């Protein structure tokens, strides 16, 4: 039963990653963007590879297409979750900056805004790219 709870709950699956993102610094934000780019690139690459196997008549194309679909879903979920996390941390940083005492330490939140916008754009661009590759093949 725990497997199904893990499978159908985004909060359970991404709890440790979001906690690491909230506590981390600029390196964690860069790693988040890099992992998203790797997931999205692998998804598009496996889709192209599956269509090239299909045109060659190889039945391995079914397995590669299933792998590509799984990677598309995983990278889309990753992009949406970290987009929310980036915007949430940006809003928290802005609120902390505006409510802190003048002598207090200033919050840095530019990296969170970048991650939020980048992941949102990736969440929109990935399905468009998948459909474009599908239509061009």
């Amino acid at each position: 039963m725990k497997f199904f709870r893990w499978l159908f709950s985004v909060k359970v699956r991404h709890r440790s990653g979001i906690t690491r993102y909230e506590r981390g610094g600029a390196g964690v934000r860069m790693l988040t963007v890099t992992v998203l780019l790797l997931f999205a690139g692998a998804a598009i690459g496996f889709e192209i590879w599956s269509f090239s196997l299909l045109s060659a008549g190889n039945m391995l194309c079914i397995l590669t297409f299933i792998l590509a679909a799984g990677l598309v879903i995983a990278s889309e979920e990753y992009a949406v979750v970290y987009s929310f996390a980036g915007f949430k941390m940006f809003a928290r940083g802005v609120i902390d900056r505006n409510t802190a005492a003048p002598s207090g330490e200033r919050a840095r939140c530019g990296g969170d805004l970048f991650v939020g916008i980048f992941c949102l754009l990736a969440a929109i661009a990935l399905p468009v790219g998948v459909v474009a590759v599908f239509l061009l093949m």
Side-chain angles (χ1 to χ4, degrees):
M1 209 54 158
K2 285 185 178 182
F3 173 73
F4 288 116
R5 193 180 98 163
W6 175 84
L7 184 64
F8 294 113
S9 175
V10 174
K11 183 178 180 180
V12 171
R13 260 194 323 272
H14 292 282
R15 180 178 294 148
S16 64
I18 297 299
T19 304
R20 191 176 310 118
Y21 179 84
E22 289 174 349
R23 293 182 181 163
V28 173
R29 276 112 179 110
M30 290 187 326
L31 183 66
T32 300
V33 170
T34 304
V35 168
L36 177 61
L37 286 174
L38 289 175
F39 274 168
I44 298 291
F46 275 110
E47 184 185 11
I48 292 170
W49 186 38
S50 67
F51 282 118
S52 69
L53 288 174
L54 179 65
S55 67
N58 193 341
M59 292 307 293
L60 187 63
C61 67
I62 296 170
L63 294 175
T64 57
F65 186 75
I66 291 170
L67 181 63
L71 278 171
V72 166
I73 292 169
S75 55
E76 186 71 25
E77 177 183 315
Y78 188 85
V80 169
V81 166
Y82 281 97
S83 176
F84 283 131
F87 285 130
K88 182 181 95 170
M89 291 297 294
F90 173 72
R92 184 184 295 168
V94 168
I95 291 169
D96 288 348
R97 179 183 296 171
N98 291 332
T99 59
S103 64
E105 187 176 316
R106 295 188 56 95
R108 296 184 310 263
C109 53
D112 294 320
L113 181 62
F114 173 74
V115 170
I117 291 173
F118 185 83
C119 289
L120 181 65
L121 290 176
I124 294 168
L126 183 63
V128 171
V130 167
V131 170
V133 167
F134 178 77
L135 293 176
L136 290 176
M137 293 295 187

